[in-house]
Amino acid sequence: MTNPSRPGRVTRNSAAREPDSDRLSVGLRHPFNLGFFAAAGALLAWWLGSAILSVSNLIVLIVVAAFLAAGLNPLVEFLGRRGLKRAYAVVVVILGVLAAVALFLVAFVPVITDQVTEIVDNSPQWLESLRGNTYVQQLDDRFDVISKVQDYVTSGGFGQSVFGGVIGVGVQVLSALANSFIILILMLYFLATLPRVTKACYELAPSSKRVRVAQLGDRIVGNVGAYVSGAFIVGLCAGISSLIFLFIVGLGGYAVALAAVVALLDVIPMIGATVGAAIVTAVGFATDVRIGIACAIFYLVYQQVENYLIYPKVMSRSVNIPGSVIVIAALIGAGLLGVVGALLAIPTAAAILLILREVVIPKLDER
């Protein structure tokens, strides 16, 4: 009696399957069929790419909302450790955020608007005062730079190009309000359901590795939250210090607006603090040369303090990556998604390095 499981024995089912696979393989080798499937795959990839690009703005809003939710999650967990249920903690945090935004709109936006208007109104006089500088005068004699800039500012084209006219301003304001509302709603949902969302994502991993995936995922979410909170604290320190300095140095008429610009730009990695300092210094030089020199010295000193004292102290629990990686990640993120990409680049790079250190490198060491 023969053993049906003995090697070399061909069953009826396997004999029937082999010709089908052979015919399928021969059919795919045919030039027409191969070209058809390749073209169909290319068209499907093009369609998927077009669909993703058509909703790219919405994807950016979703990413920003998730980013902000991760940043507010440590505060929610802090309230939870104090005995408050997560649903109530989320409500408290959202109400606090809304109160802060409302306070900013009521207390600071009118002041900032008036000061920005004053800056724009005084810019022709500042340009005229630059003619007294010998070096600037030489450049102006050769290229007529100041006259062109002054004509552009006073002609009204400057305001239209920057703000898009009255209709453009209205459209941009409505768009900003709609985007802010979408981000707020998505952030609320992300905050309320963050544990369930992360748990559902962890369940996609194999059961043997699920615990390890959950540990790494929780560390990544915690690092992102710490980075968002740290960036907010660093920007707030820059804004408050700039506000105090500008009042002391004699730029109190523009202090709130310039401090707000410095605080917002300081959140952007690499170039944000430098751009903010350059703007304030330019206004200082246009007002008075001594004030400009004082601004240059102040921001030169402050950036060293921020880079070597404030930033490492605040970010010590969130990102632990080399400076070169920070620069490369920020450049790539800015090239892909602009300011949002630059903000997301550093925690993303930190997450990738964490996976490499905890997963990839140990596996390579075992070989």
Side-chain angles (χ1 to χ4, degrees):
M1 182 176 180
T2 60
N3 187 2
S5 62
R6 187 173 56 191
R9 182 178 179 84
V10 180
T11 62
R12 182 179 300 176
N13 292 334
S14 62
R17 285 195 300 269
E18 288 178 357
D20 294 337
S21 61
D22 291 341
R23 285 196 297 269
L24 181 61
S25 177
V26 172
L28 289 177
R29 292 195 191 100
H30 194 280
F32 176 81
N33 294 338
L34 182 61
F36 175 80
F37 281 106
L43 288 175
L44 180 61
W46 177 81
W47 179 80
L48 289 175
S50 301
I52 293 174
L53 289 176
S54 64
V55 295
S56 58
N57 293 333
L58 181 60
I59 294 176
V60 171
L61 295 180
I62 294 173
V63 171
V64 171
F67 195 65
L68 294 177
L72 294 175
N73 187 60
L75 184 57
V76 174
E77 293 181 347
F78 173 79
L79 296 176
R81 290 193 295 269
R82 296 299 183 273
L84 197 63
K85 293 183 179 180
R86 183 173 183 87
Y88 297 122
V90 170
V91 172
V92 170
V93 171
I94 292 297
L95 290 177
V97 172
L98 292 177
V101 172
L103 179 63
F104 178 79
L105 293 176
V106 173
F108 294 103
V109 168
V111 179
I112 293 174
T113 303
D114 294 339
Q115 293 183 1
V116 168
T117 303
E118 188 175 354
I119 291 174
V120 174
D121 293 338
N122 292 334
S123 57
Q125 300 176 5
W126 293 339
L127 291 173
E128 186 66 29
S129 65
L130 289 176
R131 294 180 184 273
N133 187 284
T134 305
Y135 179 73
V136 175
Q137 183 64 43
Q138 293 175 357
L139 291 178
D140 187 48
D141 293 339
R142 294 181 59 185
F143 304 104
D144 198 23
V145 177
I146 295 180
S147 298
K148 293 179 180 179
V149 174
Q150 189 171 4
D151 293 339
Y152 179 63
V153 171
T154 57
S155 64
F158 174 73
Q160 291 181 359
S161 62
V162 174
F163 301 106
V166 177
I167 297 177
V169 170
V171 172
Q172 291 178 9
V173 169
L174 291 176
S175 177
L177 290 176
N179 291 340
S180 300
F181 180 76
I182 293 172
I183 290 175
L184 179 63
I185 297 299
L186 291 175
M187 184 177 66
L188 176 62
Y189 279 111
F190 284 145
L191 264 181
T193 61
L194 187 61
R196 285 180 289 176
V197 171
T198 54
K199 183 180 179 180
C201 294
Y202 299 155
E203 290 178 351
L204 298 176
S207 58
S208 60
K209 301 179 180 179
R210 194 167 297 162
V211 176
R212 183 57 175 164
V213 171
Q215 292 175 350
L216 291 177
D218 290 339
R219 288 179 61 182
I220 291 173
V221 173
N223 289 344
V224 172
Y227 173 77
V228 175
S229 304
F232 175 78
I233 293 173
V234 171
L236 191 63
C237 291
I240 293 175
S241 60
S242 298
L243 183 66
I244 297 172
F245 168 76
L246 292 174
F247 273 113
I248 294 174
V249 82
L251 287 177
Y254 319 116
V256 178
L258 294 177
V261 170
V262 170
L264 291 176
L265 292 177
D266 200 76
V267 177
I268 303 174
M270 276 191 349
I271 62 171
T274 304
V275 173
I279 293 174
V280 177
T281 303
V283 175
F285 272 111
T287 305
D288 191 323
V289 176
R290 291 173 296 180
I291 294 178
I293 295 174
C295 291
I297 295 174
F298 170 77
Y299 282 107
L300 181 63
V301 174
Y302 178 79
Q303 287 190 10
Q304 306 309 311
V305 174
E306 180 181 289
N307 293 335
Y308 295 102
L309 182 62
I310 299 176
Y311 193 90
K313 185 68 174 179
V314 173
M315 295 295 185
S316 60
R317 297 184 179 181
S318 58
V319 292
N320 184 19
I321 55 180
S324 59
V325 177
I326 292 178
V327 174
I328 295 172
L331 289 174
I332 295 175
L336 293 175
L337 294 175
V339 175
V340 176
L343 295 176
L344 298 176
I346 296 179
T348 302
I352 294 174
L353 286 180
L354 177 64
I355 294 174
L356 290 176
R357 292 167 180 165
E358 299 292 336
V359 178
V360 178
I361 294 178
K363 286 186 178 182
L364 294 176
D365 293 338
E366 293 176 357
R367 295 181 180 179

